[in-house]
Amino acid sequence: MNEKFDLAAIAGKFAIDGAYVSCIRYGEGHINDTFKLTVNDNGKEVHYILQRINDRLFTDVDKLMHNIELVTAFCRKSVEKRGGDPMRECLTLIRTKDKKPYYFDGENYFRVYAFIENATSYQVVRDPKDFYESAVAFGSFAALLADFDATQLYEVLPDFHNTKVRYANFLRAVEKDVCGRKTEVQKEIDWVNAHKDLCGKLVDKIASGEIPLRVTHNDTKLNNVMLDNATGKALAVIDLDTVMPGSLCYDFGDSIRFGCNPAAEDEPDLSKVNFRFDLYETYLDGYLSAVGDSITDEEKKGLPLGAVLMTYECGMRFLTDYLEGDTYFRTHRPKQNLDRAHTQFKLVDDMLSVFDKMTDAAMKRH
Ligand code: ADP
Ligand code: GN1
Ligand code: MG
């Protein structure tokens, strides 16, 4: 692909040894532009992740990178304490030659991470063991963050998982209908409106203090965790841009939303999309085993609700983006955001049909 950035020149701004070899698009994230950078250091190929930060979303890159520096340093310390390998078990930020956490070329912001080698971030669950491992990774990450001082962090995306605010944004998009797509998706709009009572179910409990606000990851999908190719074990939680105050229920729920669907998030054939209850139980086992005693009863009760709400919210965000002309989530084809919305709505329907069973499964586990 012909890139609009001079990636070799940008790579040269960072404190990296070796000669530039290549820099190619990488991964399936919806937000940043991610590249795999290869350099030749004395005959040995070394890889990095180079990212153009999405500054339309992260409007204050200094604050974003302040958070990333603190969180990566905190994770590194904990990995070192347990005798692990920090280059593989957490993200390592590579500074620029003038020691800054990112490079600004006058127009775009770039950052570099060490590449986590011999590890994979999966797009769908192929083996339940992988899903269990991802649950352990996110559960351990939640337990680790319990000791993180929240006052140190900027809330870079306020109301990120405030479902009521997301709904208000959705209504505004419907009302404005800037692309003239409203009539085409009236059925979907009606579906969202018919479920609007869901919006307050968790945020009200968080507001009243019934469910605690903690420092959470806020984007816990399967492709934001790296599993070791050799052992299959969870290695590192990545994509730390959204580490902010949030709820454990939402973090749990986002993993369920993404991982319990055997099809892709944008699968156009809805007959392939369904909620796999067995995988939900697998994730519960892994998550609860790792999160430890810090989870409260109210949080545990809120886990199934977290799954429903994250799926509802995400579907609503995809539909909002479709109405607004696909400006937020990266798309590669027309109607991709609409397909994404459809899969989420189908999953919500599936989850609601077994909701009591989901609650029983969460509550009977210790
Ligand atoms: P986005 O915010 O766009 O989702 P991510 O930070 O999640 O961006 O990166 C996108 C993808 O790049 C990840 O899903 C993962 O496959 C890959 N990736 C990111 N960081 C690393 C890393 N340090 N080592 C190896 N792969 C990585
Ligand atoms: C985005 O960055 P990525 O692809 O890991 C989004 C999440 C959505 C997800 C849907 C910062 O995650 O909130 O749940 O897409 N991240 C941001 O796949 O908006
Ligand atoms: Mg990601």
Side-chain angles (χ1 to χ4, degrees), residues 29 219 221 223-224 239:
D219 192 0
K221 55 181 185 178
N223 65 10
N224 286 332
D239 202 348

Side-chain angles (χ1 to χ4, degrees), residues 152-271:
Q152 292 182 294
L153 289 179
Y154 293 109
E155 198 175 353
V156 285
L157 300 173
D159 290 323
F160 189 57
H161 289 316
N162 185 331
T163 321
K164 282 176 158 177
V165 171
R166 293 289 185 187
Y167 182 63
N169 294 346
F170 162 75
L171 290 180
R172 204 172 318 118
V174 173
E175 162 113 28
K176 285 196 177 157
D177 190 23
V178 288
C179 295
R181 293 176 173 176
K182 184 174 141 179
T183 325
E184 175 204 347
V185 295
Q186 193 55 52
K187 201 167 56 111
E188 289 81 355
I189 294 169
D190 292 344
W191 186 94
V192 172
N193 286 330
H195 291 78
K196 69 170 193 257
D197 287 351
L198 286 173
C199 293
K201 295 246 186 245
L202 275 177
V203 285
D204 290 348
K205 287 192 175 179
I206 295 168
S208 71
E210 226 176 303
I211 289 183
L213 203 58
R214 311 160 167 260
V215 181
T216 49
H217 184 278
N218 293 306
D219 192 0
T220 50
K221 55 181 185 178
L222 186 64
N223 65 10
N224 286 332
V225 65
M226 309 291 304
L227 303 188
D228 191 314
N229 290 346
T231 64
K233 295 278 176 204
L235 207 48
V237 168
I238 60 167
D239 202 348
L240 304 174
D241 291 336
T242 51
V243 174
M244 287 180 296
S247 164
L248 212 71
C249 304
Y250 278 139
D251 266 10
F252 174 86
D254 202 28
S255 301
I256 299 302
R257 169 190 83 73
F258 192 83
C260 293
N261 170 21
E265 193 183 52
D266 61 352
E267 172 59 57
D269 179 357
L270 286 185
S271 70

Side-chain angles (χ1 to χ4, degrees), residues 267-281:
E267 172 59 57
D269 179 357
L270 286 185
S271 70
K272 295 184 181 156
V273 176
N274 56 74
F275 174 59
R276 275 191 55 184
F277 191 82
D278 60 322
L279 288 181
Y280 166 76
E281 290 197 293

Side-chain angles (χ1 to χ4, degrees), residues 310-353:
M310 283 306 287
T311 314
Y312 175 68
E313 182 187 288
C314 201
M316 187 158 67
R317 290 172 65 196
F318 289 142
L319 186 58
T320 302
D321 199 27
Y322 184 69
L323 286 161
E324 289 179 340
D326 308 307
T327 59
Y328 186 97
F329 297 103
R330 179 174 302 107
T331 53
H332 307 283
R333 57 176 171 83
K335 300 198 192 240
Q336 192 171 4
N337 269 322
L338 186 55
D339 285 336
R340 288 172 177 153
H342 287 153
T343 63
Q344 304 306 294
F345 299 160
K346 166 74 167 58
L347 289 168
V348 172
D349 282 337
D350 281 6
M351 286 181 204
L352 288 176
S353 71

Side-chain angles (χ1 to χ4, degrees), residues 5-300:
F5 316 111
D6 184 350
L7 295 168
I10 292 156
K13 301 292 177 187
F14 288 84
I16 289 173
D17 292 329
Y20 177 86
V21 175
S22 62
C23 197
I24 50 166
R25 285 252 166 200
Y26 193 75
E28 296 192 30
H30 295 339
I31 300 299
N32 297 300
D33 286 303
T34 301
F35 304 90
K36 181 176 185 178
L37 165 67
T38 304
V39 299
N40 188 311
D41 187 17
N42 285 318
K44 193 176 160 243
E45 287 213 330
V46 184
H47 306 119
Y48 296 88
I49 285 287
L50 187 151
Q51 281 182 326
R52 186 185 76 85
I53 300 168
N54 184 333
D55 62 318
R56 197 135 62 94
L57 173 56
F58 300 106
T59 49
D60 192 328
V61 175
D62 279 316
K63 287 187 176 160
L64 170 75
M65 294 311 291
H66 162 95
N67 285 2
I68 296 279
E69 288 201 285
L70 287 181
V71 178
T72 50
F74 182 78
C75 294
R76 169 169 293 263
K77 254 196 215 140
S78 113
V79 170
E80 282 169 351
K81 215 159 110 192
R82 65 166 188 251
D85 174 0
M87 293 309 284
R88 296 189 76 227
E89 295 171 35
C90 59
L91 281 178
T92 304
L93 190 68
I94 309 290
R95 290 178 162 260
T96 61
K97 284 179 174 149
D98 50 4
K99 303 203 165 30
K100 302 228 168 62
Y102 64 85
Y103 168 66
F104 179 56
D105 70 357
E107 219 174 307
N108 293 292
Y109 296 84
F110 298 89
R111 70 179 167 209
V112 169
Y113 290 119
F115 193 91
I116 300 172
E117 298 285 357
N118 303 315
T120 305
S121 71
Y122 291 97
Q123 300 304 326
V124 287
V125 174
R126 282 187 282 188
D127 182 336
K129 273 195 241 129
D130 294 339
F131 199 41
Y132 181 89
E133 280 302 318
S134 76
V136 171
F138 284 122
S140 314
F141 194 72
L144 178 69
L145 290 181
D147 294 327
F148 192 92
D149 175 8
T151 61
Q152 292 182 294
L153 289 179
Y154 293 109
E155 198 175 353
V156 285
L157 300 173
D159 290 323
F160 189 57
H161 289 316
N162 185 331
T163 321
K164 282 176 158 177
V165 171
R166 293 289 185 187
Y167 182 63
N169 294 346
F170 162 75
L171 290 180
R172 204 172 318 118
V174 173
E175 162 113 28
K176 285 196 177 157
D177 190 23
V178 288
C179 295
R181 293 176 173 176
K182 184 174 141 179
T183 325
E184 175 204 347
V185 295
Q186 193 55 52
K187 201 167 56 111
E188 289 81 355
I189 294 169
D190 292 344
W191 186 94
V192 172
N193 286 330
H195 291 78
K196 69 170 193 257
D197 287 351
L198 286 173
C199 293
K201 295 246 186 245
L202 275 177
V203 285
D204 290 348
K205 287 192 175 179
I206 295 168
S208 71
E210 226 176 303
I211 289 183
L213 203 58
R214 311 160 167 260
V215 181
T216 49
H217 184 278
N218 293 306
D219 192 0
T220 50
K221 55 181 185 178
L222 186 64
N223 65 10
N224 286 332
V225 65
M226 309 291 304
L227 303 188
D228 191 314
N229 290 346
T231 64
K233 295 278 176 204
L235 207 48
V237 168
I238 60 167
D239 202 348
L240 304 174
D241 291 336
T242 51
V243 174
M244 287 180 296
S247 164
L248 212 71
C249 304
Y250 278 139
D251 266 10
F252 174 86
D254 202 28
S255 301
I256 299 302
R257 169 190 83 73
F258 192 83
C260 293
N261 170 21
E265 193 183 52
D266 61 352
E267 172 59 57
D269 179 357
L270 286 185
S271 70
K272 295 184 181 156
V273 176
N274 56 74
F275 174 59
R276 275 191 55 184
F277 191 82
D278 60 322
L279 288 181
Y280 166 76
E281 290 197 293
T282 299
Y283 197 90
L284 260 179
D285 286 334
Y287 195 79
L288 291 177
S289 75
V291 80
D293 294 339
S294 66
I295 188 167
T296 68
D297 269 353
E298 277 306 318
E299 283 178 316
K300 213 198 248 188

